[in-house]
Structures are given as structure tokens and as C-alpha cells.
Amino acid sequence: MIDTLDDLDVEGTTVGVRVDVNSPIDDESLADDARLRAHVDTLSELLERGGRVAVLAHQGRPGGNDFVSLAPHADRLSVLLDRPVEYVDATFTDAAREAVRSLDNGECVVLENTRFYSEEYMEFDPERAARTHLVEGLAPVLDAYVNDAFAAAHRSQPSLVGFPTVLPGYAGRVMESELDVLGSIEATPEPRVYVIGGAKVPDSIDVAWSVLEKGLADHVLTAGVVGNVFLIADEVDLGDSSSDFIYNQGYWDEIDRAQDLLDAYGDRIALPRDVAVERDGDRHEIAVNALPPRDGEAAMDIGHSTLAYYERILEDAGTVILNGPAGVFEDETFETGTKELYGAATSVPMSIVGGGDTASALRQLGVEGFSHVSTGGGAALRMLTAEPLPAVTALENGPRAND
């Protein structure tokens, strides 16, 4: 059982709040604040109830252009929360501890990017994570820990599993909502349809194996690069351009895994019936039995025949779970598959969208009306296959305030 903000006596309590505000960066400025907006309810509630809030978060990965400080995030949170939000360029040093100690009721400080410290980019079991410099340095000035970073909950890093091992831990409102919806996937209405697309082929095949083996999926619809891999596994000649892309991404072995899936569960796996390529500057659709395409042409989207086929399956569905776009939706020429397939999914009684690229596609295409859009990518995938999340397990097993 996980405690939530309803169980936390907030007033006068110094709370470390782990959020996931990992955002697109343009010249060290925020290019999209969607992930910050997701945490406004949790942070506002804690501040309005008189909490003293220290925000913990990461941004980017070492060596990346988006590996920057959290100063712009603090500035944006000041606007979103409509109150001053301080920033300190430290996470667990004397400067960080002093900034946290100096907080009054209803005040907030954003601590520096947790990944600026090497331990945070490593994964530990909770007991070892609790002995890292980050946790040992900061925990003494905190009374409680709130995890609202569902999107990072599949990681076992110090800021996610170390703090709730030594402090009373609580789920924030984002985490609570995600667990309520995704944690009961087995109880959603049937038939249950999973749509797997995008370019993260190994993860998608893992999902397909898991949901089919566990009987969670009545149908799995394939699209995007994932769909292309399944087509090749089904001995469809997609041409050199699509095949070379799959090979260059290191996904060639995934074709064998897709073939094994088709052998075991082929009656429940739907493959594209046509694909869209660029020909003479325009969208051109080719039936699978008319492939391969011309030299230089790659499968960039599913075609209208596939859409009609998939929409017929969705008409009878009780639940649809979507993860990954159906094509190169960033190009207006090839947004059709993603836009129309997701649009059809909104008519299903229970429609759940995984995070990451899928949520980004929805925002860009303006598709709305889903039962739930997750803030997480990898974390959502694990929950949708009924797999445990390390950060959630740490909250479940940690100390309670009244222990």
C-alpha cells in the first residue's frame, strides 16, 4: 500500500519532491513545458498546505545538448505556480542544505540537476542507493519524500529509490493517477487491443511478448518501424531503404524475435496491409502484395487500407492501449496514419496512451479525447505489461510516518 498526499501532514514539513521535468531544450531554454505543467497540481497543493518544498529532478544525459542546469525550469515553475521559486546550483552540498533549511512554509526551491552527479546516472538496489552521497547529504534536512516522477519510475537511481528507503515516502498526484489507471490494466474492459508503433523495436517486441503470454491482449496491431520489422519477418520485401534503416539501428535480430511471435501468436497480431512512401514529392501508397517499392523509397507510414482494417478491430474493442506513432508523423505528408488511428482510438470506451513519443505526437497533431495519457514512456510500458516499477516498490517498502 502506498501513502499519498492525503496521508501527509504537510504544514511546516520539509518535503523533497522528485518530479520528471526532462524537457526539450533550445539554446539552454525550455522548448516545451508540458512536463512541468503536469506537476503543478502536486507542487501547488504542497505549497498551499504550508509545505516547505525542495524539488529534485534531472535534465538530459551527460554529453547531450539538453544536459543543462535546472535554472530555466525554476523560472518557468515560478510562472506556472504563480509564486517565487528559488534555484540553487547544488543538490546535496552545504549550499543545497542551507537553501532547504532556509525555506518557510509555502516556499519552494529547485535543486540542481541530479544527473550532474555520477551516482544518479547509475542504478542501485534501494539500500545501496540510500548510502549514496546524494541521499546521505540531503536526507538529513528533509522530513518526508514525495515521488511524482512516474516517467522515471522504471529506474532504480538514488533520487528515486534511495530517499524513500530512509524517509517516509508518498506518491504525488501524477504518480497516484498513473498507478490508479495503469496498475489495474487486467481489470479494463475486453476485448483489449494493444497498438505498438514507433521506432523502439526491442521494447515494443518485449511488450508484445508479455501481453500475449499473459493473456492481456486480444489483438496486437503493429505500425511504424515496429510494423516494418514484422512485415520483414513475414517475408515481405520492403526494399533496401527500409531494410537498411532497420539494420543500421541494430534491429536485425529483432526480425527473428518478431518471427517467433508470429509463429506463436500470429492469429492475434495484425500487420500493415499497405504502406506509404514518398514518390515524386508526394505520398504514394503501395499494397503489401505490390511491394517492394522503387529504389530509394522507404515505408514511412501505414496506408488507408491498413487504417480501415485496424479501425474495424478497434470498433469492437473495450480497451485500447497505444504506444508509439504509426509513421513519421513529424512530416505532414506522413501524419495520416498516426492522426487517424489515434483519432479512431478515442471512440473506444477505455483508451490509454503511453508517454514519450506517443504523447508528443498527440500534442503535435491535436488529437484529444483519450481516457488517460500517461506522462511516462518506459514506465508506462512496464506497467502496461503488469511489471513492477523499482521506484514504486521503494515507496511500498519504505518507512511510514507513524512507524
Side-chain angles (χ1 to χ4, degrees):
M1 182 68 179
I2 295 175
D3 288 338
T4 71
L5 299 191
D6 296 332
D7 304 297
L8 176 58
D9 184 6
V10 178
E11 186 170 1
T13 300
T14 303
V15 186
V17 184
R18 179 59 159 97
V19 296
D20 192 322
V21 293
N22 191 26
S23 305
I25 300 295
D26 183 9
D27 194 25
E28 297 196 6
S29 298
L30 290 172
D32 186 331
D33 67 357
R35 284 201 161 177
L36 284 84
R37 286 187 277 110
H39 296 290
V40 165
D41 286 350
T42 293
L43 296 174
S44 291
E45 179 178 344
L46 288 168
L47 295 169
E48 289 167 4
R49 290 171 60 187
R52 305 175 181 193
V53 174
V55 175
L56 288 153
H58 72 274
Q59 172 62 54
R61 298 182 178 187
N65 292 332
D66 60 348
F67 192 51
V68 300
S69 85
L70 297 186
H73 303 66
D75 290 342
R76 185 59 186 156
L77 279 175
S78 294
V79 175
L80 295 172
L81 296 172
D82 194 25
R83 68 175 68 213
V85 173
E86 299 299 319
Y87 157 77
V88 60
D89 62 349
T91 307
F92 60 86
T93 62
D94 286 340
R97 288 190 290 270
E98 181 56 32
V100 175
R101 287 193 194 98
S102 299
L103 292 170
D104 288 329
N105 292 3
E107 290 187 344
C108 179
V109 63
V110 172
L111 303 178
E112 187 54 282
N113 188 341
T114 57
R115 287 187 178 174
F116 279 8
Y117 306 96
S118 59
E119 288 175 320
E120 178 66 5
Y121 203 62
M122 303 165 67
E123 302 213 10
F124 304 92
D125 63 68
E127 291 73 23
R128 177 64 184 86
R131 299 197 302 272
T132 57
H133 293 287
L134 172 63
V135 177
E136 289 190 336
L138 189 61
V141 297
L142 301 175
D143 301 314
Y145 170 83
V146 170
N147 193 340
D148 210 33
F150 174 77
H154 58 306
R155 310 289 186 191
S156 189
Q157 294 162 336
S159 70
L160 296 160
V161 302
F163 285 107
T165 301
V166 296
L167 294 168
Y170 304 83
R173 297 307 185 195
V174 170
M175 180 71 79
E176 181 184 5
S177 173
E178 297 275 15
L179 296 181
D180 284 347
V181 175
L182 304 182
S184 56
I185 196 68
E186 301 98 326
T188 55
E190 297 178 293
R192 199 174 295 120
V193 178
Y194 280 71
V195 179
I196 55 172
K200 296 179 180 178
V201 177
D203 289 347
S204 294
I205 291 182
D206 286 345
V207 169
W209 269 117
S210 182
V211 298
L212 289 166
E213 284 182 333
K214 294 175 180 177
L216 293 173
D218 295 282
H219 298 280
V220 172
L221 314 185
T222 64
V225 180
V226 177
N228 292 347
V229 167
F230 273 89
L231 285 173
I232 293 173
D234 199 40
E235 300 184 351
V236 173
D237 186 353
L238 280 178
D240 290 342
S241 292
S242 293
S243 299
D244 288 348
F245 176 83
I246 290 167
Y247 179 81
N248 291 334
Q249 294 297 308
Y251 293 158
W252 205 248
D253 289 343
E254 302 302 323
I255 295 172
D256 291 335
R257 296 181 67 211
Q259 178 63 67
D260 290 341
L261 260 175
L262 290 172
D263 289 343
Y265 302 103
D267 59 329
R268 285 191 270 164
I269 301 173
L271 308 186
R273 293 184 170 181
D274 58 350
V275 299
V277 303
E278 182 177 349
R279 180 172 295 177
D280 301 326
D282 296 319
R283 177 187 177 99
H284 182 78
E285 297 186 358
I286 308 172
V288 167
N289 60 9
L291 291 168
R294 296 176 182 176
D295 288 345
E297 294 179 346
M300 306 285 277
D301 194 12
I302 56 175
H304 282 86
S305 178
T306 304
L307 279 168
Y309 171 37
Y310 287 0
E311 287 169 359
R312 287 195 298 273
I313 295 174
L314 291 176
E315 285 176 0
D316 296 325
T319 300
V320 58
I321 298 102
L322 304 106
N323 198 84
V328 186
F329 70 93
E330 298 90 345
D331 184 335
E332 187 176 347
T333 304
F334 300 109
E335 69 178 21
T336 304
T338 302
K339 191 170 186 176
E340 295 194 12
L341 182 59
Y342 281 26
T346 62
S347 298
V348 177
M350 173 66 77
S351 53
I352 300 171
V353 177
D357 292 342
T358 315
S360 174
L362 292 179
R363 289 194 297 272
Q364 179 172 321
L365 299 175
V367 182
E368 299 177 341
F370 297 94
S371 306
H372 181 75
V373 178
S374 177
T375 59
L381 282 178
R382 288 190 66 158
M383 287 223 72
L384 291 170
T385 57
E387 294 293 329
L389 299 176
V392 174
T393 301
L395 286 176
E396 292 171 336
N397 296 337
R400 295 290 187 269
N402 56 0
D403 283 354

